[in-house]
Amino acid sequence: MSAFYTLAIFLIASADWAVIGACLALAVAVVLFIFYIQPDASDLAPHRTKLDQLLEKRDTIYDNLRDLRFEYRSGKYSEGDFEAMKMALENEAALVLAEIDQVTDAQVRRPRGTRPADGSAR
């Protein structure tokens, strides 16, 4: 009978060590996750809509036009180079503005069959 008790105590002790080992392994995994695994930068960046991207592009083109005019006035570019670059930037701006119009028209367009708010179309 004493061999049975010895075996039972040994099994209980080894089960305790297994639980302690599992807890230590979990603690190590948590520490590694917290201190060594860095999140991807794209996960932290806010997601921008198509309209946000177009507005930013428009602003960049306007800034480039303003800088181009300043540099032309300071004598950095000849008149021919200035006109060529200005036309390229203005054409790009026109394309971006057209895209902005398309995006904003798609957002404000009402579905067909809706009635006006005043109720006059009865």
Side-chain angles (χ1 to χ4, degrees), residues 17-76:
W17 283 110
V19 170
I20 291 172
C23 289
L24 286 175
L26 181 63
V28 168
V30 167
V31 167
L32 288 175
F33 181 77
I34 291 173
F35 294 109
Y36 292 106
I37 296 179
Q38 299 295 324
D40 191 17
S42 65
D43 293 339
L44 302 176
H47 298 286
R48 298 180 327 168
T49 65
K50 176 77 172 169
L51 181 60
D52 292 336
Q53 293 171 4
L54 289 171
L55 292 173
E56 183 177 331
K57 190 172 183 180
R58 178 203 61 190
D59 294 342
T60 302
I61 293 169
Y62 286 163
D63 290 341
N64 290 342
L65 274 168
R66 186 178 56 247
D67 292 343
L68 179 65
R69 285 188 185 104
F70 175 78
E71 291 172 355
Y72 170 69
R73 289 180 189 143
S74 65
K76 187 173 181 180

Side-chain angles (χ1 to χ4, degrees), residues 61-121:
I61 293 169
Y62 286 163
D63 290 341
N64 290 342
L65 274 168
R66 186 178 56 247
D67 292 343
L68 179 65
R69 285 188 185 104
F70 175 78
E71 291 172 355
Y72 170 69
R73 289 180 189 143
S74 65
K76 187 173 181 180
Y77 297 113
S78 68
E79 187 171 343
D81 290 342
F82 168 72
E83 289 298 326
M85 288 188 278
K86 183 178 94 167
M87 284 298 276
L89 285 171
E90 287 175 346
N91 288 337
E92 187 177 355
L95 292 173
V96 170
L97 290 174
E99 283 186 69
I100 290 173
D101 284 342
Q102 288 175 352
V103 169
T104 55
D105 285 345
Q107 290 177 354
V108 297
R109 201 174 290 145
R110 291 189 318 181
R112 295 184 118 179
T114 60
R115 292 186 188 184
D118 64 356
S120 61

